[in-house]
Amino acid sequence: MSVRGAWFVTVFLLVVAGLLGLGAWYGYQKLPKVHGKVNAPVLGVPRGALDYPAMPAYAGLHPRMMERPPEYFPFPIAIGEVGPVDALFAGASRYPFFCGWNAITGRQPLVDNQAGEGVPVFALDGDGHKTKEVIGYSRDCSHATEVTYFYRSTRDGQFYSLHEARNDVQKVTVNGRQVDFIVRVETGTINRHFYAIAVLKGEGEVAQVPNSSNWNRRLIYQFRGGVGIGWRQGNISKGDITTRRVDQLARGYAIIYSTANQTRNHYNIWLAEDAARRLKKQFEALYGEPMYTVGIGGSGGAIQQYLFAQNAPGLLDAAIPLYSYPDMVTQTIYAFDCEPLEYFFDVLDAGNTRWRNAEERSIIQGLSANSKANSRFDLMSMAAGLFDSRYRSRARGTTECVEGWRGLVPLVNNPNFVHFFKSFSEDLVSKVHWTHWENLRNFYGSGTNGYANTTWDNEGVQYGLKALVNGDINIDTFLKLNASVGGWKSQENQTDEYLWFLNGSLLPVRLSVWSEQNLNMGSLESPARRSRASLEAIKGIYRSGHVFLGDVEIPIIDLRHYLDKEPDMHHSSASFTARERIRRARGHADNQLIWVSHKEYYPLDEALDMIDRWMGNIIRDPAAGVVGNRPAEASDRCFDREGNVLAAGPEVWDGEWNRRPSGKCTRMYPIYSTARQVAGAPVTDDVFKCALQPIERALAKGIYGSHTEEIAGRVEDLRRIFPTGVCNYNEQDVARPREQFIPKEIPVKIAGHLIDPDYRQGKMLQEARVGEGEIGHTPVSLSDEVNPNLK
């Protein structure tokens, strides 16, 4: 080899090494990755815990109509005692179960067996440090209840243990008196999850007998988000309930929280409610009944508030869902479309240069995109491009599909993949079906193959239909798209992921950001096979209360920062999806306000004050109902970065989503949609299984607009792509049970008063569905936090 050739090879290798090193650094710093090895992984499980017998989907009463069993546990849990392990009504505990870390006490879980089930518990030396001697095992991760006092320091505004105070205790004014900012924090376990209660220290109180003199009689139930599939207790720290809620503590609010109410740990709404009921019992046994309870929490924390309000009236009296979604399971309908569509843009239609501008992809995906934003996957893809040509023509900018859902779809859907596998022994990892479906198999049911059923279905979905009708794509692209995009392989046929840092591998030589090894993809010559859901699973998840139907009575302020242009997974359209479900169920949505703010401003205090006035009205005049007691100034609104109200009133959020001229807030903060809405689905985004219609009928109805004649000339292609027909979104989800889940005449309890439900079916506005011959369209991380200011 010549000197010049050797120099070229050396430079090339240095460039490769540099890119790989840079990619590795970036991946380690920014990308979701596998959890590190733990000192005490789960080693074993009870006999039969990993058997997977076939079982039917849930067929019982909707939770709204279920009578909860009487509580048998003698609350309150005294200091030094242990809370209940088994759930009251949410079903048997699932195993394996990984114990989290209580950073408030620093203690290990309690030993509950010597059979090697759960995590090992170690002996302590004379200084209280763990040794290597195993003294037993903890299967259920229980902790004794403890109380710690923290104060807020005038030096730096941080919370410290009270014994560290050095004349630096901050003062706050509550109930008309100035008092020390000292917080009693109680922590323990209920239903195997950590709980915490935080209240300002009362006059002359001792840890065993709390005093409510500095409590304002208002209770905040804190919820948290994230995407989780179960099998974890979660962690808890003082910041979860002090720093996070410092402003509310300073105003005298009491705060309660459980890791069972963090969706990063699971999405079982029965378990979440079970734990919440018990935690409220613990609080009330210590402090008495609150004037009212208001929920606060973002993302998955918002989901829980909407579903609690629907399933269990009286548990929450008001709600402030942040970065809301109506529920988790209907999110999967459009989220699972993301990677098949991204694979089409990046690989199967890579010759179409328009897809290299990320914003062009929104005409198909519906979700937002930004051609100027940097993707967290850019350096990974650049490094992978050295080995795989598919990564060499990357799009300018990025999409919500990439930034919001990449890595989360396999977490929910792939039984072979979980990013925290190092928390369990290798033997257990290979035996567990690591999916959301499996964790809720009691509701979804399971087949004879041992795998839980799923609700995801795209049979008959015509991706990009509105884009075709609007002239944004041509007939060739429309047909190629729908022939190429198939569905996800069945659970038993999926293989592990190749997601670089997510699966623990160091180099991106074998990288698949799209999970295409688990997709059914095709071509116009050989169209891809679409996915079919289990109809019984869909019925079961409806009946079990995991789908938000919109039947809620309590005051709601749906609050979010506008993040659509980031682009962030917490898109603003989800608030309007919830609104349309409420309107569909009740004929109006006057008990729900939507507030959207620039991300530099956080109007939570205004929301709390509005809720307080609203609840005060209800308590004084319960006969007037929720809407009748809504304060005159309580309305939809949007805020700028300084907190100024840009617009307020009943029409500020009008737009394509409700077929009205755009309101002032909609013009300031544009609303996007989803791939299913682009395909003709309603803004409610809750059609799991569409009704199918013959292609000839679709043509006769003119759903292809001016392209109808052109489509008719390609009807044989369309028949091969859609052999069973195409979606008719004028019809209801064919798998939705026909029974009435929630009788409308039953009063609900709010702040201790029975409130007559407010239904106005006679005045019900037209649902956001398409009319005959129309195409209906509504423009609209592993972490549970989006913006540190909105928690």
Side-chain angles (χ1 to χ4, degrees), residues 203-281:
E203 294 297 318
E205 86 170 32
V206 293
Q208 292 81 359
V209 187
N211 184 307
S212 63
S213 60
N214 293 324
W215 174 35
N216 69 8
R217 313 306 298 181
R218 294 149 176 87
L219 176 62
I220 290 175
Y221 202 113
Q222 177 175 294
F223 298 88
R224 294 187 66 185
V227 178
I229 57 170
W231 293 284
R232 292 195 293 180
Q233 180 181 42
N235 304 321
I236 200 165
S237 69
K238 68 176 182 181
D240 290 335
I241 201 159
T242 55
T243 307
R244 180 179 291 272
R245 294 271 76 89
V246 59
D247 293 338
Q248 291 74 53
L249 285 168
R251 297 175 64 183
Y253 284 91
I255 319 293
I256 58 178
Y257 164 67
S258 167
T259 58
N261 297 115
Q262 181 175 12
T263 55
R264 186 175 184 267
N265 300 322
H266 71 91
Y267 269 99
N268 184 333
I269 201 64
W270 285 31
L271 178 58
E273 181 198 327
D274 198 313
R277 285 183 178 277
R278 285 179 148 175
L279 179 48
K280 282 195 69 175
K281 284 187 178 295

Side-chain angles (χ1 to χ4, degrees), residues 577-638:
T577 294
R579 170 160 292 184
E580 281 306 297
R581 295 192 196 179
I582 297 171
R583 194 194 310 275
R584 180 184 61 189
R586 305 169 59 76
H588 71 97
D590 294 341
N591 60 318
Q592 184 219 36
L593 310 183
I594 294 177
W595 290 8
V596 179
S597 173
H598 187 280
K599 69 177 182 178
E600 297 299 324
Y601 183 69
Y602 182 27
L604 178 60
D605 283 338
E606 290 98 313
L608 279 168
D609 290 342
M610 187 70 75
I611 289 292
D612 194 53
R613 290 195 290 275
W614 201 339
M615 289 303 306
N617 292 345
I618 292 171
I619 292 167
R620 285 187 292 272
D621 185 12
V626 173
V627 175
N629 277 305
R630 196 175 86 174
E633 67 276 23
S635 63
D636 290 344
R637 60 185 61 178
C638 53

Side-chain angles (χ1 to χ4, degrees), residues 15-38:
V15 169
V16 170
L19 284 174
L20 289 175
L22 188 61
W25 173 85
Y26 184 83
Y28 183 78
Q29 296 292 327
K30 302 292 184 181
L31 296 175
K33 51 188 176 291
V34 65
H35 286 210
K37 185 176 177 60
V38 297

Side-chain angles (χ1 to χ4, degrees), residues 5 325 371 451 465 552:
Y325 300 103
S371 62
Y451 289 86
L465 182 55
V552 289

Side-chain angles (χ1 to χ4, degrees), residues 320-339:
I320 305 178
L322 314 174
Y323 302 121
S324 72
Y325 300 103
D327 59 62
M328 183 273 187
V329 68
T330 55
Q331 281 180 265
T332 65
I333 295 173
Y334 60 82
F336 281 25
D337 290 332
C338 277
E339 292 300 13

Side-chain angles (χ1 to χ4, degrees), residues 745-785:
E745 66 276 4
I746 300 177
V748 299
K749 183 176 285 189
I750 299 178
H753 300 280
L754 288 178
I755 306 293
D756 289 330
D758 182 4
Y759 293 96
R760 306 177 203 165
Q761 299 301 333
K763 300 179 181 178
M764 183 172 180
L765 298 179
Q766 180 183 359
E767 290 185 13
R769 288 184 179 272
V770 298
E772 289 292 317
E774 295 180 277
I775 300 300
H777 171 61
T778 305
V780 281
S781 75
L782 289 178
S783 172
D784 65 313
E785 303 301 345

Side-chain angles (χ1 to χ4, degrees), residues 70-276:
E71 181 58 71
Y72 63 84
F73 191 87
F75 289 99
I77 310 162
I79 296 173
E81 294 183 354
V82 178
V85 172
D86 296 322
L88 181 62
F89 63 87
S93 298
R94 297 294 305 276
Y95 299 95
F97 189 66
F98 177 65
C99 300
W101 175 243
N102 187 336
I104 300 173
T105 67
R107 298 190 190 280
Q108 299 180 85
L110 298 175
V111 171
D112 56 28
N113 76 95
Q114 297 293 334
E117 296 173 2
V119 303
V121 180
F122 301 96
L124 303 180
D125 63 18
D127 295 322
H129 300 132
K130 286 192 294 186
T131 67
K132 294 183 178 180
E133 179 190 355
V134 175
I135 58 173
Y137 299 85
S138 185
R139 176 181 54 234
D140 292 310
C141 307
S142 293
H143 284 246
T145 289
E146 294 192 40
V147 170
T148 309
Y149 285 94
F150 295 99
Y151 78 99
R152 196 180 192 210
S153 173
T154 57
R155 291 179 287 115
D156 57 8
Q158 299 301 309
F159 284 94
Y160 297 95
S161 294
L162 186 57
H163 65 79
E164 300 177 50
R166 299 294 182 269
N167 297 316
D168 61 336
V169 179
Q170 192 178 93
K171 300 285 187 179
V172 293
T173 300
V174 294
N175 299 336
R177 296 180 299 108
Q178 191 176 68
V179 300
D180 289 339
F181 199 163
I182 300 172
V183 182
R184 178 188 187 273
V185 175
E186 175 179 305
T187 184
T189 52
I190 293 175
N191 290 9
R192 303 195 304 171
H193 288 81
F194 291 121
Y195 79 87
I197 296 173
V199 189
L200 285 174
K201 181 178 182 290
E203 294 297 318
E205 86 170 32
V206 293
Q208 292 81 359
V209 187
N211 184 307
S212 63
S213 60
N214 293 324
W215 174 35
N216 69 8
R217 313 306 298 181
R218 294 149 176 87
L219 176 62
I220 290 175
Y221 202 113
Q222 177 175 294
F223 298 88
R224 294 187 66 185
V227 178
I229 57 170
W231 293 284
R232 292 195 293 180
Q233 180 181 42
N235 304 321
I236 200 165
S237 69
K238 68 176 182 181
D240 290 335
I241 201 159
T242 55
T243 307
R244 180 179 291 272
R245 294 271 76 89
V246 59
D247 293 338
Q248 291 74 53
L249 285 168
R251 297 175 64 183
Y253 284 91
I255 319 293
I256 58 178
Y257 164 67
S258 167
T259 58
N261 297 115
Q262 181 175 12
T263 55
R264 186 175 184 267
N265 300 322
H266 71 91
Y267 269 99
N268 184 333
I269 201 64
W270 285 31
L271 178 58
E273 181 198 327
D274 198 313

